[in-house]
Amino acid sequence: MAKTLLDKVWDAHTVTELPSGQTQLFIGLHLVHEVTSPQAFQMLRELKLPVLYPDRTVATVDHIIPTHTQVRPFDDEQAETMMREIERNCRDFGIRLFDRSTGNQGIVHVIGPELGLTQPGLTIACGDSHTSTHGAFGNVAFGIGTSQVRDVLASQCLAIKKPKLRRIEVGGTLPPGVYAKDVILHIIRMLGVKGGVGYAYEYAGAVLDRMSMEERMTVCNMSIEAGARCGYVNPDQTTYDYLGGRPLAPQQGAFERAVAWWQSMASEPGAGYDDVARLDGSSLSPVVTWGINPGQAIGVDESIPRADSFPADEREVAEDAYGYMDLRPGTPIAGTRIDVAFIGSCTNGRLSDLREAARVAKLGKVKSHVKAIVVPGSQEVARQAEAEGLDEVFRASGFEWRLPGCSMCLAMNPDKLVGRQVCASSSNRNFKGRQGSPSGRTLLMSPAMVAAAAIEGAVSDVRRILEGTGR
Ligand code: SF4
């Protein structure tokens, strides 16, 4: 019988079926960062247990690391303590830590793929919701909580229920000015923030086939915002080309053998799905969120929807969003004034994101009332961007060019909104207070749209700005 990638990866990693109905699943790669790991390591110490597979465990620092200067000790004592903790834990338990001195520090979901650690056919876990990013390579990757981090450190296994599978086919061709971020925001708008509960999402179709790995990562990254346990794209030549030559990917002869195995893990024609959803990528516009979850999103050419346009069970959250965001239904989203522009995060902090944003930034100056920052996802992204002169393009336009980290995505570091500020953000969550101020407001959009908002001082249609530039 034809199988999906989910079936194959799950079967290959099943240790046993548990009486609870869950699977004891072997985890091929465990990614660790400084925020969700300290308690897990402490529990291991108390239980006098080692890390079972230190060579399958890799750590970095991203959430708390400041982006204006990374000179130690950090000004923030708590950040310095967390930094020392992860250094001690990695030293004591024999885990490889990609800190700044390695030249490969960055957001955990940026450096895994960059180093070639993220590969097809794996199971990947990390104490972070956006672990779904790695699914872009054709694997099963999901976020876990701190007690599960402990379980994986100690046993390399997790007790987990196999999700159902929904295939999402995006056909057609994306119009100019419409990006991977718009595709996933549209999917979440269409299927809802709870639409994926109990599911894994398999993304497919002509649009996904043509996407680069970085674009596929953007799509898979936000699977969790759609409620899905994980999301993936079947591996293909684009995947193998990206991985070839990466420092921690299989090398030389081993690479060809790996490709043969990776190919064998892809979903087969005729495989069964629990559900299939389709959309036409040709009809999409740049998308902007207007509310307090990523499903409250509209095309930049639309107006804030009225409460009665939502199903009954979504009206209350719509009313809540109007009040919190201070946006009136029926008002066009374009023209909404912004105070801050943030380009970065594990959704959109990669080189291709910065290139697209720089293309727009080059066309104008950041408005004087806007604070605009660009935060590369990793040291490698920063190096490549600087080699191309993107940092200079951003600086000339009025953006600040920062050091790598999660920055204002979650604001567990000095990069925070202040008061009721409105932020055009290329990150993934627009929840109340997400960017550091309890009353701060977030509008999610693509990096190019953030750059457009920065130079116009308000939400703007990047297609208009790019008109006549060949994009
Ligand atoms: S960039 Fe944001 S979503 Fe991604 S790992 Fe960091 S805090 Fe989490």
Side-chain angles (χ1 to χ4, degrees):
M1 208 173 86
K3 285 182 162 187
T4 64
L5 180 140
L6 176 67
D7 293 331
K8 294 182 198 181
V9 173
W10 206 269
D11 292 350
H13 292 82
T14 294
V15 178
T16 188
E17 299 298 344
L18 300 167
S20 62
Q22 294 172 301
T23 304
Q24 184 185 1
L25 197 69
F26 185 81
I27 301 301
L29 173 66
H30 186 196
L31 300 167
V32 170
H33 64 83
E34 75 282 17
V35 174
T36 50
S37 65
Q39 284 169 294
F41 282 113
Q42 186 53 32
M43 288 189 261
L44 247 60
R45 281 197 179 87
E46 285 161 12
L47 295 164
K48 301 196 179 353
L49 289 172
V51 170
L52 191 60
Y53 283 98
D55 52 338
R56 289 182 177 274
T57 313
V58 170
T60 189
V61 281
D62 48 14
H63 286 65
I64 54 96
I65 195 161
T67 66
H68 59 293
T69 166
Q70 292 176 351
V71 173
R72 303 281 299 279
F74 300 143
D75 293 342
D76 176 357
E77 261 180 53
Q78 202 184 350
E80 180 60 29
T81 305
M82 284 176 119
M83 189 72 208
R84 288 204 186 128
E85 270 290 286
I86 196 156
E87 287 169 336
R88 179 173 77 108
N89 289 329
C90 288
R91 208 171 40 239
D92 290 358
F93 288 94
I95 294 168
R96 197 160 174 189
L97 171 65
F98 287 98
D99 63 10
R100 233 186 123 65
S101 69
T102 64
N104 290 114
Q105 173 267 335
I107 304 174
V108 64
H109 311 311
V110 176
I111 69 158
E114 207 168 70
L115 290 166
L117 282 163
T118 301
Q119 296 167 20
L122 284 175
T123 46
I124 301 179
C126 173
D128 188 275
S129 310
H130 296 88
T131 307
S132 56
T133 312
H134 304 265
F137 291 79
N139 53 52
V140 174
F142 41 80
I144 55 177
T146 292
S147 56
Q148 291 172 308
V149 173
R150 172 204 59 197
D151 295 347
V152 180
L153 288 173
S155 69
Q156 206 62 31
C157 289
L158 267 183
I160 188 166
K161 193 166 164 24
K162 185 181 178 186
K164 292 186 286 182
L165 185 58
R166 173 177 290 139
R167 183 172 160 94
I168 301 176
E169 295 177 3
V170 188
T173 305
L174 296 183
V178 176
Y179 299 91
K181 181 66 159 286
D182 303 305
V183 171
I184 187 61
L185 283 172
H186 187 83
I187 289 171
I188 300 170
R189 175 191 188 183
M190 181 176 88
L191 298 173
V193 289
K194 293 184 188 153
V197 173
Y199 281 91
Y201 279 179
E202 177 179 297
Y203 302 101
V207 166
L208 271 294
D209 290 347
R210 278 193 298 269
M211 279 184 182
S212 68
M213 289 314 298
E214 297 196 352
E215 292 172 303
R216 292 177 187 179
M217 283 187 248
T218 298
V219 172
C220 290
N221 172 276
M222 291 191 72
S223 303
I224 188 75
E225 306 308 329
R229 195 72 182 86
C230 57
Y232 68 83
V233 179
N234 280 299
D236 61 8
Q237 195 57 45
T238 305
T239 321
Y240 316 138
D241 290 346
Y242 177 97
L243 285 170
R246 300 262 159 196
L248 299 179
Q251 303 293 316
Q252 293 163 356
F255 186 76
E256 274 83 65
R257 287 198 300 281
V259 168
W261 186 71
W262 293 341
Q263 280 169 332
S264 77
M265 297 305 280
S267 295
E268 293 159 14
Y273 295 85
D274 297 291
D275 189 33
V276 178
R278 294 187 176 89
L279 70 129
D280 177 15
S282 313
S283 65
L284 298 186
S285 312
V287 179
V288 184
T289 61
W290 58 269
I292 51 174
N293 70 50
Q296 291 180 321
I298 50 178
V300 66
D301 38 15
E302 295 178 51
S303 297
I304 316 286
R306 297 179 192 283
D308 58 12
S309 67
F310 292 102
D313 61 343
E314 288 179 28
R315 282 180 204 155
E316 196 179 319
V317 67
E319 297 284 2
D320 192 14
Y322 301 143
Y324 183 82
M325 297 300 290
D326 201 13
L327 290 172
R328 276 214 316 274
T331 315
I333 189 74
T336 305
R337 185 183 158 100
I338 66 152
D339 307 295
V340 178
F342 168 58
I343 296 171
S345 86
C346 60
T347 315
N348 281 130
R350 299 182 178 81
L351 186 63
S352 56
D353 301 313
L354 305 192
R355 281 183 185 147
E356 288 304 315
R359 224 188 278 269
V360 178
K362 206 183 258 180
L363 301 173
K365 298 273 183 216
V366 172
K367 276 277 181 292
S368 58
H369 71 271
V370 175
K371 176 189 174 70
I373 65 172
V374 183
V375 187
S378 69
Q379 288 179 291
E380 176 62 16
V381 171
R383 268 193 300 275
Q384 291 181 13
E386 286 164 12
E388 292 183 15
L390 301 184
D391 56 329
E392 288 308 325
V393 171
F394 285 119
R395 282 198 188 98
S397 176
F399 286 83
E400 294 174 35
W401 178 253
R402 296 292 191 84
L403 298 164
C406 293
S407 181
M408 206 179 265
C409 172
L410 179 60
M412 290 183 89
N413 54 71
D415 301 340
K416 297 181 198 301
L417 295 187
V418 178
R420 293 281 286 151
Q421 279 182 328
V422 174
C423 180
S425 177
S426 72
S427 56
N428 46 47
R429 282 189 171 160
N430 53 341
F431 301 163
K432 290 178 180 178
R434 167 77 176 180
Q435 293 190 281
S437 161
S439 55
R441 293 169 284 174
T442 304
L443 305 170
L444 301 176
M445 58 191 82
S446 72
M449 282 283 287
V450 175
I455 63 176
E456 299 233 323
V459 174
S460 306
D461 191 336
V462 71
R463 294 173 298 187
R464 174 175 53 73
I465 295 170
L466 287 173
E467 235 166 34
T469 65
R471 274 289 304 171

